Amino acid sequence: MEMAHEEIRQAYQMLGQEATAYDGMITCSTFFGRMICKLVWDMNKADNDRYLQLALSGIPEDFAGKLLEVPVGTGVLTMPVYRKLENADVTCLDYSADMMATAQKRAAASSLSHVRFLRGDVGALPFEDERFDTVLSLNGFHAFPDKEAAYRETFRVLKPGGVFCGCFYIRGENRSTDWFIRHFYEPKGFFTPPFETAESLNKRLESLYTSVTLETVKSMACFCCRKRKKENAS
Ligand SMILES: C[S@@+](CC[C@H](N)C(=O)[O-])C[C@H]1O[C@@H](n2cnc3c(N)ncnc32)[C@H](O)[C@@H]1O
């Protein structure tokens, strides 16, 4: 397990140092980014924007509670969101200090004093049970080495009634994407199997959460669900 963590850390250390290329890819906005989006994901900018919008749809515009984002990466997708959530209390966590350094610079440039950063492992979150109103995870579960621990920990730190939402790669939607993942992303340590399918993810979320919505955009699964309230809670 430690080895897997180290390989993933090194892979994202390299990406963190190439934050501009990474950001262009994840937002499908630069020439290089658009090429990768099309070639690997069969997505154009509209598809890319659509999956992000779905993944973030669990966070209301006036959200004012405690939110955990894991993994934050370079923060390119979420710092613009947090600029508008000035009454929220946001904690961002990532395993890679290099990826997160870019996110921290972004937050500082916009004076986001309600956003804090913590380096850590999603499989051993340094928070007490039921601390957060929302847990957001964008493009994380396909990278995490110990997915069972990640599901367990994100569930544990969420309050009953709280929202778990985000997106990640699922296999079985597009053969060409699956091929690129297996032959390029896995060997580089960016993605780590086993991967969910739409069916297995839906089943897993249904077993843990209530009000599950799951929508796919190409090979990206976007989900939103709620942790059940306790039986005797009003
Ligand atoms: C594809 S990036 C996604 C980052 C960001 N959410 C985004 O969408 O741009 C995957 C991130 O997962 C982080 N990561 C991998 N394993 C992790 C772990 N066990 N705990 C926390 N973060 C981890 C990596 O450091 C990397 O920043």
Side-chain angles (χ1 to χ4, degrees), residues 199-213 225 228:
E199 197 185 344
S200 71
L201 177 59
N202 195 49
K203 204 167 152 195
R204 181 189 288 277
L205 294 176
E206 290 280 0
S207 73
L208 290 168
Y209 296 93
T210 182
S211 312
V212 175
T213 60
C225 48
R228 286 181 185 86

Side-chain angles (χ1 to χ4, degrees), residues 139-232:
N139 302 310
F141 276 78
H142 54 228
F144 300 148
D146 186 346
K147 297 175 204 310
E148 296 305 323
Y151 282 117
R152 200 167 50 240
E153 283 290 90
T154 45
F155 180 86
R156 179 183 67 75
V157 300
L158 190 61
K159 279 183 190 162
V163 168
F164 176 47
C165 61
C167 60
F168 57 88
Y169 160 73
I170 50 167
R171 67 180 169 84
E173 300 294 311
N174 182 317
R175 283 171 67 175
S176 159
T177 301
D178 294 346
W179 187 90
F180 276 107
I181 301 302
R182 192 166 337 113
H183 293 278
F184 290 99
Y185 287 42
E186 274 185 45
K188 291 268 181 219
F190 297 140
F191 284 34
T192 309
F195 303 115
E196 300 274 11
T197 61
E199 197 185 344
S200 71
L201 177 59
N202 195 49
K203 204 167 152 195
R204 181 189 288 277
L205 294 176
E206 290 280 0
S207 73
L208 290 168
Y209 296 93
T210 182
S211 312
V212 175
T213 60
L214 178 66
E215 210 170 309
T216 57
V217 178
K218 306 291 171 104
S219 295
M220 199 56 81
C222 309
F223 62 92
C224 187
C225 48
R226 220 171 250 287
K227 187 168 173 177
R228 286 181 185 86
K229 289 194 173 153
K230 292 184 176 154
E231 287 287 287
N232 56 358

Side-chain angles (χ1 to χ4, degrees), residues 8 12 22 71-73 77 94-96 99 120-122 138-139 144:
I8 293 166
Y12 281 102
Y22 174 82
V72 68
L77 303 178
D94 200 289
Y95 200 67
S96 160
M99 293 288 277
D121 178 4
V122 68
L138 302 176
N139 302 310
F144 300 148

Side-chain angles (χ1 to χ4, degrees), residues 17-211:
Q17 287 157 0
E18 298 295 333
T20 314
Y22 174 82
D23 290 352
M25 219 161 44
I26 208 86
T27 54
C28 195
S29 53
T30 55
F31 176 71
F32 168 73
R34 283 196 298 274
M35 248 172 48
I36 298 289
C37 273
K38 191 72 211 157
L39 185 70
V40 177
W41 298 95
D42 188 29
M43 279 197 203
N44 57 26
K45 176 81 176 131
D47 296 322
N48 203 77
D49 290 350
R50 168 98 183 117
Y51 94 68
L52 286 171
Q53 186 211 338
L54 285 168
L56 291 165
S57 63
I59 305 170
E61 277 174 24
D62 58 351
F63 179 79
K66 287 191 173 67
L67 182 145
L68 170 67
E69 182 185 2
V70 58
V72 68
T74 65
V76 63
L77 303 178
T78 47
M79 292 311 128
V81 176
Y82 301 150
R83 254 179 243 142
K84 295 182 197 147
L85 299 182
E86 52 203 21
N87 295 319
D89 175 354
V90 179
T91 304
C92 298
L93 186 137
D94 200 289
Y95 200 67
S96 160
D98 293 86
M99 293 288 277
M100 210 164 53
T102 306
Q104 283 173 288
K105 276 189 213 143
R106 281 202 159 96
S110 302
S111 306
L112 302 185
S113 56
H114 59 295
V115 182
R116 79 194 75 169
F117 295 87
L118 210 58
R119 183 173 174 244
D121 178 4
V122 68
L125 291 172
F127 310 112
E128 74 273 18
D129 295 355
E130 303 181 359
R131 180 187 174 113
F132 296 98
D133 300 286
T134 295
V135 174
L136 171 67
S137 186
L138 302 176
N139 302 310
F141 276 78
H142 54 228
F144 300 148
D146 186 346
K147 297 175 204 310
E148 296 305 323
Y151 282 117
R152 200 167 50 240
E153 283 290 90
T154 45
F155 180 86
R156 179 183 67 75
V157 300
L158 190 61
K159 279 183 190 162
V163 168
F164 176 47
C165 61
C167 60
F168 57 88
Y169 160 73
I170 50 167
R171 67 180 169 84
E173 300 294 311
N174 182 317
R175 283 171 67 175
S176 159
T177 301
D178 294 346
W179 187 90
F180 276 107
I181 301 302
R182 192 166 337 113
H183 293 278
F184 290 99
Y185 287 42
E186 274 185 45
K188 291 268 181 219
F190 297 140
F191 284 34
T192 309
F195 303 115
E196 300 274 11
T197 61
E199 197 185 344
S200 71
L201 177 59
N202 195 49
K203 204 167 152 195
R204 181 189 288 277
L205 294 176
E206 290 280 0
S207 73
L208 290 168
Y209 296 93
T210 182
S211 312

